[in-house]
Structures are given as structure tokens and as C-alpha cells.
Amino acid sequence: MAENTTITQSKETKDLLILLAQTQKKCGFLSEETLANLARTLDMSLSDVYGVATFYSFLSTKPLGRHVIRVCKSLPCHYKDAAVIIESLEKTLGIKTGETTPDGRFSLELTNCIGACDKAPAILINDDVHGDLTVDRIPQILQAYK
Amino acid sequence: MAKEIEVTLNDNKVTGAEGMTILDLARAKGIDIPTLCYVEDLLPTGACRLCVVEVEGSRTLVASCHTPIAPGMVIQTHSPRVIEARRQIVELMLASHPDTCLVCDKANICELRKIAADLDIGLPRFRTRKHYFAIEDVSPYLVRDMSKCVLCRRCIRGCNEIAKKNVLGMAYRGFDSKVVVDCDEAINTEACRDCDVCVSLCPVGALSKPRKVEEKRRGKVQVIKG
């Protein structure tokens, strides 16, 4: 998905994913209103558009914080104790997965494989990969994101 | 006239017309392959995997409902490997299915129960993990209990292909998958008026009509071995 393209005025169903990604980039999340508009322009049912929007972990249907932490929930990370990392992140941030801190600084989400299996357990903060995580390193990593 | 294709079905040489699926052929020859998501008039999706058969030379079992026959195919519809796979699929479905059969309106005519009984499935082997959703009974036209849904997608296809109303869609992913209306709202669309397509297609008790007073249950009592 090209970075600098403006939202295309496409009316083809096959462009749904690109349009969703662009809207997400522009607005930060996909509101019901946005999805309904998109469904109308593409002549699709809202259920189908919502289905695509909720299938992908990088698309969100609710507002996110300034920085989005995505913890890999796939098998290699799971075996390398991703659960401990999730627990520690939840404790540090004082939120549960799927929530945003009250100050809007961090959102904690789970994601499918991010291709960093060689450095499991791995997390993604915005676009940065942090691998070989230990509980001790977490506060230090989070400090870099204001 | 379509071209005739010769295949080996359960060690018998049989012929079928080109374009037939394995399931069509087997059913035409009187072989019963269980299905859940397959409905004759709807596009096959291969979602439930119950109709899997063994095809010689294929690495995996193939879903017979959407695999067309090819010349020289050697098919086994009831080999031990196939039966084991089918049983495991049903056991996994039951592992996330609520244990409310005794009080379920669909009890006697539930296809999942019938298939489970046919495959001789007893007590759960897997650790059960249920997903409970609130019963959606706001619509005057139908009641939805998504806890009982087995994700066969029959309602979605029926709604799109037969009723042509496109009310339902598939959302979320993996274990969280769910049939949704709009942005996951309780079903209450006026489009459902005078339309029973999804209700009549649902193999389990997930979709039903609002119960009328003194309505009787249908069908004979079925037994699941324990």
C-alpha cells in the first residue's frame, strides 16, 4: 500500500482493503460512519465491510492511542512466553489488551505473526520491531515513546 | 451431453459427468457423505470440512463438496483416515458448542446432533471452550443465539444468494469469528420481514423463529452415546 497516495475515489470492491488502510492511516481508526460510507460507495453490504475491517489486526474499529503496541500472538512467540510479556505490559500500562491508557499514550493490541519469529517473543510499537523481549527491558523500551 | 469421466470410488469403477463434484457423484451412487455447510442450491464453500474424502495422490484430505471429479481419480469416502478426521472435526465443533441440547428448540432436528450420533461421538475428548453471546431477540421476525453457531455460513449464503438481501456477513478472525449484522449489532432489520431463508437453512439452533405459545417441538428424540 503506497504511502503517499491520496484516498482514491475507486468504486470497485477489490479496492476495499486499500481504501480501509488509507482511511485508517488518515483518521487513526475506522468509525461505523466511515465503514457505512465506504459500503455505500462500493455498493457492498455494511456487514461485509465490517467483516474485512475486523479480520485484519492492523485495522481498528475503535480509536487508538498515540502509540500502538502490538504483541505477537502466534505460535513461536507463544512458546517463548509471550503471555508473560503481555501480562507485564498490562501491569506496566495498567490496562488490559484491547484497551487504551486514559492519557491516550498507548494502546495494547494482539496481532498475528509479524515475521519476527527469530527474535521471539516480539512486539511491534507503531512500526518498530522489538524482539528477544524480557520483562526487565519493557519499561526502558516504553520510555522512548512519549 | 457432458463428457463421461471414469473414477474409482471405494474400489468400484464408476462414471460421472464432467463438472460433477465428488459429493454429487457419491450421492448419485448411493454413498452417504455427511455434510453440514453444503446446501444443494448454494455455492459450496468447504467451510465445515465434514465432507472430506481421501483422494489417492493428494497430500491432504479434500472437501468433496467443491472438488470436481477428474479422470482416473481414486477416491475413498469412508477409509479409517477419513472417519477419524470427520470425528475430530465434529468433536472440535462440540468443544465450543453450548451443552444446552436438552433445552434447545432444535434438539430433535439438529443436524450437528444427528451427525454426532451417526459418527458415534461420545463425551468430549478436548478441553471445552465455549463462547457465549447474548440472545438477540429484538427482531419480531427471528431470534439469533450466536453461542450455538457452528460457522457453516449457510445463513450468509442463503441471505445473499436466495433472499438477495445481504444482511449477514462474516467478521472477526479465528476462534472469535462470528456472523454479524452491520457493525455487529443485534439483528433487527426490516429486510428480514416475511423471509425465513436463513432460519430454514440453519443446521443448529442458532437461528429460530420467535416461539409462539403452545407450539410443539418437531421430530423424534435422538440419542447421543455417552
Side-chain angles (χ1 to χ4, degrees):
Chain A
M1 277 158 231
E3 288 245 339
N4 294 320
T5 44
T6 49
I7 292 180
T8 50
Q9 294 302 308
S10 168
K11 289 192 175 165
E12 286 182 79
T13 316
K14 68 173 172 60
D15 294 327
L16 173 64
L17 197 53
I18 294 172
L19 291 172
L20 284 172
Q22 284 177 347
T23 319
Q24 162 98 22
K25 208 170 173 97
K26 195 179 153 215
C27 311
F29 78 110
L30 303 162
S31 66
E32 284 190 19
E33 204 188 330
T34 326
L35 295 177
N37 284 334
L38 213 49
R40 218 171 302 123
T41 26
L42 297 180
D43 196 22
M44 291 175 75
S45 74
L46 179 53
S47 336
D48 285 341
V49 176
Y50 185 75
V52 176
T54 53
F55 183 84
Y56 294 97
S57 25
F58 282 74
L59 297 175
S60 175
T61 50
K62 52 183 195 296
L64 297 172
R66 287 199 300 284
H67 306 292
V68 186
I69 307 172
R70 293 190 167 96
V71 187
C72 177
K73 63 171 179 186
S74 294
L75 206 56
C77 286
H78 176 79
Y79 276 129
K80 289 278 228 159
D81 288 332
V84 177
I85 303 294
I86 295 170
E87 197 182 311
S88 149
L89 277 166
E90 283 181 342
K91 212 183 263 172
T92 320
L93 299 170
I95 51 170
K96 292 245 176 302
T97 42
E99 292 178 353
T100 303
T101 51
D103 60 0
R105 188 173 158 207
F106 286 114
S107 285
L108 186 58
E109 302 272 322
L110 296 183
T111 182
N112 294 297
C113 188
I114 50 174
C117 310
D118 56 325
K119 344 182 219 206
I123 62 170
L124 205 58
I125 304 186
N126 302 334
D127 290 331
D128 316 327
V129 182
H130 298 274
D132 294 320
L133 285 175
T134 55
V135 173
D136 311 333
R137 280 183 55 213
I138 286 172
Q140 184 201 327
I141 291 171
L142 293 186
Q143 255 175 22
Y145 298 89
K146 294 291 172 202
Chain B
M1 191 65 195
K3 217 171 80 186
E4 290 285 300
I5 289 177
E6 195 178 71
V7 298
T8 312
L9 187 64
N10 291 354
D11 304 328
N12 295 319
K13 287 241 186 292
V14 293
T15 53
E18 192 178 22
M20 252 182 154
T21 62
I22 300 174
L23 183 69
D24 290 337
L25 180 70
R27 290 212 166 152
K29 301 293 171 199
I31 295 167
D32 181 34
I33 297 177
T35 55
L36 196 60
C37 73
Y38 174 81
V39 177
E40 212 173 318
D41 300 322
L42 301 178
L43 292 172
T45 51
C48 75
R49 314 309 292 175
L50 265 177
C51 68
V52 284
V53 294
E54 205 170 349
V55 173
E56 216 164 82
S58 164
R59 188 175 55 87
T60 53
L61 298 176
V62 299
S64 60
C65 70
H66 65 87
T67 309
I69 51 171
M73 251 185 183
V74 181
I75 305 157
Q76 287 291 340
T77 61
H78 286 75
S79 65
R81 188 175 161 215
V82 168
I83 298 289
E84 183 49 39
R86 278 184 201 149
R87 296 189 59 175
Q88 194 159 330
I89 290 160
V90 177
E91 284 184 277
L92 284 167
M93 279 180 194
L94 290 173
S96 65
H97 198 77
D99 305 315
T100 49
C101 294
L102 279 176
V103 290
C104 179
D105 268 358
K106 202 77 173 215
N108 307 336
I109 46 170
C110 173
E111 287 181 36
L112 183 62
R113 258 187 95 169
K114 186 179 167 293
I115 289 165
D118 284 351
L119 288 169
D120 211 2
I121 286 162
L123 290 172
R125 177 157 57 111
F126 300 108
R127 188 174 60 173
T128 57
R129 187 172 151 203
K130 317 291 182 194
H131 28 190
Y132 291 114
F133 300 101
I135 292 176
E136 301 171 9
D137 56 359
V138 270
S139 167
Y141 312 120
L142 78 162
V143 178
R144 238 164 55 114
D145 181 358
M146 295 317 289
S147 319
K148 292 174 185 168
C149 178
V150 288
L151 301 173
C152 67
R153 294 154 173 82
R154 277 198 203 175
C155 53
I156 303 178
R157 285 178 289 150
C159 193
N160 295 351
E161 294 169 34
I162 300 175
K164 303 212 186 304
K165 289 181 177 153
N166 305 312
V167 170
L168 304 164
M170 199 72 212
Y172 308 109
R173 183 174 188 150
F175 189 72
D176 300 321
S177 298
K178 190 189 171 194
V179 179
V180 297
V181 179
D182 292 347
C183 294
D184 201 357
E185 278 137 38
I187 189 161
N188 190 15
T189 37
E190 201 47 36
C192 301
R193 185 177 183 168
D194 298 329
C195 177
D196 276 354
V197 173
C198 61
V199 178
S200 61
L201 285 174
C202 185
V204 292
L207 295 173
S208 53
K209 298 298 283 180
R211 189 98 178 259
K212 290 189 193 108
V213 184
E214 295 205 357
E215 205 174 22
K216 293 243 168 63
R217 286 188 177 175
R218 293 164 289 170
K220 274 197 300 193
V221 175
Q222 281 179 350
V223 180
I224 290 190
K225 293 178 184 173

